Every structure is written in structure tokens, then in C-alpha cells.
């Protein structure tokens, strides 16, 4: 599955570590950054953005990918909603923007929490010992999707084109 529409060394990424507010999540941030670097994204093309203020859609769309790190899901969702970043982020997704959510960064889109972003109308469980098989998911999607530490749910736009990727 190709994620970017261009050469990876040209990809501009917005890296959002906002959810990492405890020691365990902060310790994982270098691994998350390394995920982007291993893909071939150049360090100078990665902007770290901590959501103290929102970002207008016009600026957000200048990035090829948004990477939302894990940590405290409720805190991340509150920051996204309080700064009005939710509106820009959902407009970005509707315009075919690529968002990678890790742990809390994925849960904000599901129905796990009140006031979620509403993209995934199912419950996500992350860090599971056993998860769903890789491959496309049939719509309608079941009530619960389980993801391991080595898998992710890829959602294309707001459509029902969902796929489990990873191992």
C-alpha cells in the first residue's frame, strides 16, 4: 500500500506529540520520530507541533502527512477540540490528506470517547496481544476492531475503504 504520492525524501510531515504527557509516552517519542525517518522522510521536512494553538486548514494542507503520537487520549482530544484543530484536521482528511494515528492518535477518531472526531464509528482497541487479520475490512465494520502493536487501521477519506495494515 503506497501512502505518499511522491518521493519520500520530499514528503513534508507534521509530527504532533501532544498526547505524550507522561513518562512512558514521552519515552516512546524518539521511536515515533524514527518511524518517519525510516520511511525516508528527511528530518528537515518534519515539523514538531504541540497544539498550543490550532492550525488553519490552509496551513495544514501544506503537509503531506500528519502523525499523531500516543499518550493520553482524553488530553489529546481536548487539545484538538479546544484549539479548533478538529475542524482543520477533518477538512484535511476530507481533502484526501494522510493521517497516521498511533495509539491515542488513532483512538480520537473512534467512538471510544465522547466528543471524538467521528471518523470511525466503531470501538478501537490498541496494544492487543492478538488483533484483526491484515487486509480490507467489509462495510459495515463490526462493533470492535482490535489492533496489535504491529498493526494499524488505514482509513481512506471518510469512505468505507478500511484496511488493517502491518503484521
Amino acid at each position: 500500500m503506497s501512502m505518499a504520492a511522491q518521493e519520500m525524501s520530499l514528503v513534508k510531515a507534521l509530527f504532533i506529540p501532544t498526547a505524550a504527557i507522561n513518562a512512558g509516552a514521552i519515552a516512546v517519542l524518539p521511536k515515533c520520530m524514527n518511524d518517519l525517518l525510516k520511511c525516508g522522510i528527511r528530518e528537515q521536512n518534519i515539523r514538531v507541533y504541540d497544539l498550543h494553538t490550532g492550525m488553519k486548514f490552509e496551513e495544514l494542507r501544506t503537509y503531506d502527512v500528519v502523525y499523531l503520537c500516543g499518550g493520553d487520549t482524553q488530553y489529546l482530544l481536548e487539545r484538538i477540540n479546544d484549539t479548533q484543530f478538529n475542524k482543520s484536521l477533518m477538512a484535511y482528511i476530507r481533502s484526501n490528506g494522510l493521517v497516521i494515528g498511533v495509539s491515542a492518535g488513532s483512538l480520537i477518531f473512534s467512538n471510544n470517547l465522547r466528543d471524538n472526531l467521528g471518523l470511525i464509528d466503531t470501538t478501537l482497541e490498541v496494544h492487543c496481544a492478538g488483533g484483526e487479520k491484515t487486509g480490507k475490512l467489509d462495510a459495515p465494520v463490526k462493533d470492535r476492531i482490535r489492533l496489535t502493536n504491529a498493526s494499524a487501521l488505514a482509513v481512506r477519506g471518510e469512505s468505507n475503504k478500511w484496511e488493517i495494515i502491518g503484521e
Side-chain angles (χ1 to χ4, degrees):
M1 165 185 293
S2 175
M3 292 288 182
Q6 64 183 326
E7 169 62 38
M8 291 304 290
S9 65
L10 302 175
V11 167
K12 289 179 59 185
L14 187 65
F15 184 83
I16 301 177
T18 304
I21 60 172
N22 61 48
I26 291 168
V28 176
L29 288 177
K31 180 189 178 314
C32 294
M33 179 64 76
N34 196 44
D35 287 343
L36 294 175
L37 297 171
K38 284 189 311 189
C39 290
I41 299 173
R42 296 171 38 188
E43 188 171 358
Q44 60 265 34
N45 291 349
I46 301 172
R47 178 179 176 195
V48 177
Y49 193 73
D50 198 24
L51 281 178
H52 292 298
T53 61
M55 180 183 288
K56 300 279 186 209
F57 170 70
E58 293 74 20
E59 182 179 356
L60 185 59
R61 72 179 180 174
T62 65
Y63 294 94
D64 302 298
V65 62
V66 174
Y67 188 109
L68 294 156
C69 297
D72 187 312
T73 308
Q74 185 66 48
Y75 180 76
L76 176 61
L77 186 58
E78 286 171 5
R79 295 301 315 139
I80 287 173
N81 289 334
D82 289 349
T83 61
Q84 306 280 310
F85 187 67
N86 55 340
K87 295 175 182 171
S88 299
L89 186 60
M90 292 309 294
Y92 177 81
I93 290 169
R94 283 191 296 276
S95 69
N96 211 26
L98 175 62
V99 177
I100 299 170
V102 175
S103 191
S106 61
L107 293 174
I108 60 169
F109 295 104
S110 70
N111 67 10
N112 294 39
L113 295 171
R114 204 169 54 82
D115 297 326
N116 66 73
L117 299 183
L119 184 63
I120 304 169
D121 189 23
T122 192
T123 300
L124 282 182
E125 293 181 18
V126 296
H127 308 295
C128 299
E132 312 299 331
K133 293 186 318 183
T134 57
K136 296 189 186 319
L137 295 176
D138 295 324
V141 176
K142 55 186 164 179
D143 293 335
R144 179 180 70 154
I145 297 174
R146 295 172 47 86
L147 300 173
T148 68
N149 286 340
S151 66
L153 176 64
V155 179
R156 303 280 185 212
E158 291 185 292
S159 68
N160 286 329
K161 296 179 182 175
W162 295 11
E163 184 175 356
I164 303 294
I165 59 174
E167 299 174 7

